[in-house]
């Protein structure tokens, strides 16, 4: 994946982060991009994903994540995993962690001068009453459905927040 266009305000760029970057965060990026496109914001917001670890760098999302997403109309096949890099803090105005462990790792990397929003993705949708996207990697297919349910809700919440910010006027 290439970096966001230089003309884009960092405020409108979002990086979703999980541990391996093959289940939760690529699902979040795919779902969020689709929601942005449906709202006419496909060219206004930029979304990418990354992992805390580098074990799966260069790989497509987990087959189960691809299949579960496809059943809801999302195509994750072109995504490739990568590890987060320090430069991501320059490029992304929003860095959204899937769980508290991911967030702790990101906070340890965060440059002192970072003035973007670093936090738990699900905190954008408090009505969910859950703050972490459970890791589905070692579980069954219901875990991937749960990931989709949670990231669909939080993506809508994020889009509403950004939509107010990036629309002219
Ligand atoms: P993710 O799930 O963080 O949602 O991509 C995982 C994928 C792979 C591993 C752990 C979590 N792993 O240990 O390889």
């Amino acid at each position: 994946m290439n970096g966001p266009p230089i003309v884009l305000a960092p405020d409108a760029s979002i990086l979703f982060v999980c541990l391996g970057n093959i289940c939760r965060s690529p699902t979040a990026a795919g779902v969020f991009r689709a929601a942005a496109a449906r709202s006419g914001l496909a060219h206004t917001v930029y979304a990418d994903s990354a992992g805390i670890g580098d074990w799966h760098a260069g790989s497509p999302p987990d087959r189960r994540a691809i299949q579960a997403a496809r059943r809801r109309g999302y195509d994750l096949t072109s995504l490739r995993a990568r590890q987060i890099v320090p430069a991501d803090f320059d490029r992304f105005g929003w860095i959204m962690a899937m769980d508290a462990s991911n967030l702790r790792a990101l906070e340890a990397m965060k440059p002192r001068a970072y003035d973007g929003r670093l936090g738990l993705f699900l905190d954008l949708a408090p009505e969910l009453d859950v703050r972490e996207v459970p890791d589905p990697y070692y579980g069954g297919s219901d875990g991937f459905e749960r990931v989709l349910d949670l990231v669909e809700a939080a993506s809508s919440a994020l889009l509403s927040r950004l939509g107010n910010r990036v629309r002219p006027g």
Side-chain angles (χ1 to χ4, degrees):
M1 273 175 269
N2 297 318
I6 279 161
V7 291
L8 195 65
D11 201 40
S13 56
I14 304 102
L15 183 67
F16 298 101
V17 179
C18 63
L19 182 58
N21 195 210
I22 54 168
C23 298
R24 293 165 293 173
S25 62
T27 299
V31 166
F32 179 79
R33 285 178 185 172
R38 282 196 303 273
S39 300
L41 294 174
H43 303 290
T44 313
V45 299
Y46 177 84
D48 194 8
S49 69
I52 299 296
D54 69 351
W55 316 286
H56 300 284
S59 296
D62 187 285
R63 181 178 41 80
R64 297 163 296 170
I66 289 177
Q67 286 170 354
R70 182 180 292 135
R71 286 193 291 270
R72 297 196 194 190
Y74 307 110
D75 180 7
L76 306 185
T77 54
S78 66
L79 303 180
R80 295 295 178 268
R82 70 173 181 88
Q83 188 175 30
I84 185 155
V85 291
D88 286 322
F89 288 90
D90 300 326
R91 296 168 54 202
F92 292 94
W94 295 73
I95 299 181
M96 298 280 96
M98 296 298 124
D99 66 31
S101 166
N102 308 151
L103 182 58
R104 278 194 298 277
L106 291 165
E107 278 168 348
M109 288 182 71
K110 183 178 84 152
R112 208 184 293 262
Y114 184 64
D115 63 355
R117 296 159 189 80
L118 170 61
L120 291 173
F121 185 33
L122 298 190
D123 279 353
L124 295 171
E127 71 280 3
L128 291 172
D129 272 336
V130 49
R131 300 189 68 199
E132 302 183 281
V133 183
D135 187 346
Y137 188 63
Y138 294 106
S141 60
D142 54 331
F144 289 85
E145 297 301 329
R146 176 78 171 142
V147 169
L148 281 160
D149 291 343
L150 294 171
V151 305
E152 282 180 339
S155 289
S156 301
L158 175 54
L159 207 50
S160 312
R161 296 265 299 261
L162 288 172
N164 295 334
R165 220 174 272 275
V166 296
R167 283 202 182 92

